[in-house]
Amino acid sequence: MRLSQPFPALPMDQYHFLVGELKNNSPFNPAAASAQLFAWFAHIGESVERYGNKRGKIVKFSQRNYEKMLFAPETESIGLLSPRIVPPDEADEAVNCDAQAMYSSGSELVLSIRASKLALALLFDAARPAPH
């Protein structure tokens, strides 16, 4: 029996997270939130390549399909992700990116970015324009 070579050790990336809760009684407005999340991506210099669809899967971004999901009455959250870091089968899709933004009807907002891409203080500055 031949033993296979072990996988090479991969360095662990560090990420900065900003987790917030919007003001009480803030209405969940997916279209407004989406515009703000896209503005955040533009501000940090990242593009949106994938998003979380209404079935909970992460899929390639398509403006037409995204807008259908965005305006569907059952939409309870928005998730946007930057391009993949490694090929799809090498990492969980939910963390295979430099930047991610999530917003849910429960008024939770989560922004994350790889530490080597943006300093923590700059993450706070980039999120400051968000209302509520």
Side-chain angles (χ1 to χ4, degrees), residues 23 29-30 38 42 58-59 66-67 80 88 104 119 127:
K23 289 181 183 175
N29 183 334
F38 272 94
I58 296 173
V59 296
Y66 176 74
E67 286 176 0
L80 302 174
S104 74

Side-chain angles (χ1 to χ4, degrees), residues 48-51 58-59 61 80-84 93 96-97:
V48 173
E49 181 182 272
R50 296 167 295 142
Y51 73 100
I58 296 173
V59 296
F61 187 81
L80 302 174
L81 298 92
S82 66
R84 287 183 181 103
E93 283 296 286
N96 189 5
C97 58

